[in-house]
Amino acid sequence: MRITDTSDLWWKSAVVYCLDVETFYDADGDGVGDLAGLAQRIDYLAELGINCLWLMPFYPSPDRDDGYDVTDFYGVDPRLGDHGRLVEVIRTAHDRGIRVIVDLLINHTSDAHPWFRSARESVDSPHRDYYVWRDTEPPDTSAEVVFPDQEDSIWEHDERTGQWYLHHFYRHQPDLNVGNPAVVDELMRVIGFWLELGVDGFRVDAVPFFVEDVETAESHLAGDPHQVLKELRAFLGRRRGDAVLLGEVNLPYEAQTTYFGGGDGDELQMMFDFVTMQASYLAMARGEAAPLAAALAGRPELHPRCQWATFLRNHDELTLDQLSEEERQEVFAAFGPEESMQVYDRGLKRRLPTMLGGDPRRVRLAYSLMFSLPGTPSIYYGEEIGMGEDLQAAGRMAVRTPMQWSRARNGGFSAAEPEQLIQRVVPDGYGPEHVNAADQRHDPDSLFSFIKALVAVRRSCPELGWGTFALIEQPHPSVLAHRCDLDEVSMVAVHNLGPDPVTLSLDVCRAGDGTEALDVLSHQLVAAGDECLELVLEGYGHRWLRLRPEGALDLP
Ligand code: GLC
């Protein structure tokens, strides 16, 4: 590892925190979270220790897909504030050492976007080829829709011009034709604009769908969609050398490799690891490490400047679409047996603590595991305090409830009347009376303090972002043991996914006489020299042990 790499590729040692401005903190008391409120809460994020803030869409939008339906890629939704407020957020975050990435929508616009309004005026509109059209009656595409509760085709007939337009998501989100160079130019200007305002990169929405759009387009303009990704990445790099593209690509590993640009590593630098995420839930449901070990063993080797982003929860349904039908049913049975907890036949509406019956040992095990895996951990607001969900909210909205700051009315989120809130606060046993940031911040035994410790350890152990990963053989089916090695340090992590204690003897200390093993969560020296590691793991227990030269300073 060279020093230039560690500082330029900051995102390889980052911890990402995702939030939606409208549900985070409402400064003006109108019931909707806003940028002024977020600016006031940046110090909370700095205290937690995260160093990359991902802002979900804040652009002007009819809000029919929670802001993912955009009418102006350059704008700020006036309910949330304006560009001045956004720049204050970015500036404050930077001042606290936090980078800011924002959602970039390249797959679609809202049907209220001026491009689409123009496009549907006539087949001769200058914006007609910004979207994907077909002349003939489409075949049955009901199996391809993303939201089967609302849509039964990915094509929508447009009365005025008699053609059909493509929309993988809702019919009010027409897909852009990124095979059209004019659209690519538009997207580059959008990227350039936000970079000039100070953002540090983008979470790129729905990437495989844009690739399909280009492949589907009958228009002669359509080209190689991966070439488009390479162009966007090259443009990004020219404008800001250390900016990052973190893509949403929920596909099997083999297919994901191509979105990294394969051996060239010249497309997305990071991608969420949906495979490991889904395998983690199966492993937790069974109390057995095997599914997770298999997923990790199947991870393709990445270009050294690429990285996985690990996560347990995001703002969408907890998708289990890459598991087999039986495996998915196992996870449903363990973590969301009722129909009201499931959505789209492929996912769950719940957050982690409710799925784990509120058992703090299991919740901590899950986060410890996620943070210890090679990759960049990403958490979704409220996870650090163990928020639950509102099952009465429709579909994915169940996990998009207001942040719970305190026991105060509306969980301290807003001074508005409860009926005025953008969304109601979680009402039950996971509501603000029981789960809130104010109570947890100064409690050393709280989940907040635990996650804060994980963030700190994660940030001080570059071997997790940069090192070589290997599973460690050991005989207990409930245990996952792995190590990450970098230069003269190694991290060894052991996690017991089962309820019973286990005793382990790990043959990992023979690196040389001068090696010692430090438990980085308790700061205890565990072994030294060529001793084997003898460990007792409680049910759902976990340990992180750093092997390093004797007496080394505990710093990256
Ligand atoms: C992504 C987002 C999701 C959104 C969809 C359409 O999958 O994560 O929330 O609905 O794209 O934009």
Side-chain angles (χ1 to χ4, degrees):
M1 180 174 63
R2 303 215 305 272
I3 189 69
T4 45
D5 285 346
T6 43
S7 53
D8 292 347
L9 308 185
W10 56 270
W11 36 270
K12 286 197 82 158
S13 305
V15 179
V16 179
Y17 187 98
C18 167
L19 64 84
D20 191 352
V21 175
E22 66 180 17
T23 50
F24 202 59
Y25 184 59
D26 171 19
D28 64 7
D30 65 353
V32 182
D34 43 46
L35 290 160
L38 172 56
Q40 291 177 31
R41 289 295 188 257
I42 296 288
D43 281 324
Y44 167 83
L45 301 178
E47 182 184 329
L48 182 60
I50 62 97
N51 56 353
C52 178
L53 174 60
W54 156 22
L55 298 181
M56 287 169 61
F58 49 75
Y59 312 110
S61 162
D63 223 10
R64 298 173 70 189
D65 181 16
D66 209 22
Y68 280 91
D69 46 329
V70 177
T71 51
D72 177 5
F73 286 140
Y74 297 101
V76 173
D77 182 338
R79 295 172 318 144
L80 310 182
D82 54 24
H83 289 94
R85 293 286 187 187
L86 181 69
V87 168
E88 286 307 300
V89 165
I90 297 171
R91 190 262 166 205
T92 309
H94 285 170
D95 184 62
R96 311 298 194 268
I98 299 173
R99 319 249 180 170
V100 180
I101 64 173
V102 300
D103 252 285
L104 176 71
L105 289 113
I106 55 177
N107 180 66
H108 50 259
T109 65
S110 159
D111 63 357
H113 192 290
W115 295 340
F116 192 68
R117 286 177 188 259
S118 157
R120 74 195 318 185
E121 287 284 306
S122 92
V123 290
D124 301 320
S125 155
H127 295 103
R128 187 72 176 179
D129 273 337
Y130 274 37
Y131 296 89
V132 182
W133 301 90
R134 62 179 291 144
D135 282 329
T136 51
E137 180 100 33
D140 177 8
T141 53
S142 54
E144 290 172 61
V145 300
V146 179
F147 301 123
D149 58 332
Q150 304 274 326
E151 303 293 344
D152 53 17
S153 169
I154 60 171
W155 293 98
E156 179 69 8
H157 189 244
D158 191 53
E159 296 284 319
R160 185 160 185 159
T161 53
Q163 287 186 324
W164 285 260
Y165 64 85
L166 184 66
H167 64 89
H168 278 98
F169 294 92
Y170 298 111
R171 73 189 68 178
H172 58 76
Q173 287 169 321
D175 283 5
L176 282 165
N177 176 11
V178 186
N180 180 348
V183 174
V184 179
D185 280 350
E186 297 276 10
L187 293 174
M188 285 187 180
R189 277 192 288 276
V190 170
I191 290 173
F193 176 81
W194 293 109
L195 289 177
E196 285 299 310
L197 269 198
V199 313
D200 301 283
F202 300 88
R203 179 266 189 186
V204 194
D205 187 62
V207 185
F209 295 97
F210 115 73
V211 168
E212 276 180 32
D213 299 344
V214 179
E215 285 164 352
T216 310
E218 285 173 359
S219 146
H220 63 282
L221 296 166
D224 174 6
H226 283 280
Q227 194 51 41
V228 174
L229 257 188
K230 288 180 203 296
E231 280 176 33
L232 292 177
R233 164 74 185 282
F235 173 80
L236 180 91
R238 287 198 300 277
R239 290 290 170 96
R240 262 285 302 273
D242 68 345
V244 68
L245 295 178
L246 163 57
E248 182 201 25
V249 181
N250 178 14
L251 290 177
Y253 282 140
E254 209 182 298
Q256 273 185 305
T257 312
T258 58
Y259 290 83
F260 280 119
D264 296 331
D266 59 354
E267 295 184 29
L268 301 168
Q269 290 106 317
M270 285 211 285
M271 264 178 252
F272 289 104
D273 187 345
F274 280 90
V275 174
T276 290
M277 181 279 283
Q278 301 188 31
S280 303
Y281 282 94
L282 183 61
M284 289 192 285
R286 290 183 181 167
E288 281 175 15
L292 186 53
L296 292 167
R299 270 180 168 187
E301 196 165 328
L302 302 184
H303 185 281
R305 297 204 174 88
C306 293
Q307 172 95 318
W308 297 108
T310 51
F311 70 111
L312 285 169
R313 199 62 181 95
N314 64 14
H315 60 286
D316 288 325
E317 77 279 10
L318 171 66
T319 184
L320 301 166
D321 61 346
Q322 293 203 48
L323 300 182
S324 71
E325 183 56 31
E326 295 86 78
E327 291 169 341
R328 189 165 35 251
Q329 291 308 328
E330 270 183 82
V331 181
F332 280 177
F335 298 142
E338 289 163 34
E339 215 170 291
S340 64
M341 300 168 174
Q342 302 166 7
V343 63
Y344 312 137
D345 294 327
R346 63 171 183 256
L348 289 165
K349 289 172 67 173
R350 309 182 84 189
R351 281 189 182 245
L352 184 81
T354 57
M355 289 192 277
L356 299 179
D359 184 339
R361 296 171 308 163
R362 299 187 77 182
V363 172
R364 286 167 199 227
L365 173 85
Y367 286 111
S368 171
L369 195 50
M370 194 259 275
F371 271 77
S372 74
L373 296 177
T376 294
S378 175
I379 55 176
Y380 179 55
Y381 78 94
E383 284 196 273
E384 74 279 17
I385 54 170
M387 273 170 55
E389 68 283 340
D390 179 1
L391 283 181
Q392 281 179 35
R396 297 173 294 162
M397 299 312 285
V399 295
R400 300 175 181 179
T401 58
M403 175 67 184
Q404 296 171 195
W405 292 105
S406 70
R407 290 163 186 247
R409 192 169 75 145
N410 301 328
F413 159 71
S414 167
E417 292 301 322
E419 317 75 68
Q420 278 184 289
L421 297 189
I422 172 113
Q423 209 185 322
R424 77 170 179 170
V425 176
V426 168
D428 56 20
Y430 284 83
E433 262 168 69
H434 309 281
V435 176
N436 68 70
D439 286 351
Q440 292 192 26
R441 270 180 61 220
H442 303 297
D443 173 358
D445 298 323
S446 67
L447 183 61
F448 178 89
S449 297
F450 179 74
I451 302 277
K452 183 176 163 176
L454 286 181
V455 174
V457 171
R458 178 65 188 72
R459 287 187 56 190
S460 66
C461 296
E463 60 269 35
L464 295 173
W466 290 86
T468 313
F469 168 81
L471 291 165
I472 302 172
E473 301 248 349
Q474 49 74 48
H476 303 279
S478 67
V479 172
L480 187 89
H482 68 275
R483 63 184 295 160
C484 295
D485 301 299
L486 181 73
D487 300 336
E488 75 276 25
V489 286
S490 306
M491 179 67 79
V492 170
V494 280
H495 289 87
N496 180 6
L497 284 85
D500 304 318
V502 292
T503 304
L504 287 176
S505 174
L506 295 182
D507 188 11
V508 290
C509 270
R510 297 228 179 99
D513 284 348
T515 303
E516 57 188 25
L518 180 81
D519 182 323
V520 287
L521 292 173
S522 69
H523 304 287
Q524 306 276 317
L525 201 57
V526 178
D530 59 2
E531 297 165 32
C532 277
L533 283 177
E534 301 289 341
L535 299 173
V536 179
L537 276 183
E538 296 302 317
Y540 305 119
H542 59 269
R543 300 289 283 279
W544 291 39
L545 302 164
R546 198 166 204 215
L547 310 183
R548 54 173 204 190
E550 198 173 359
L553 194 59
D554 188 22
L555 284 172

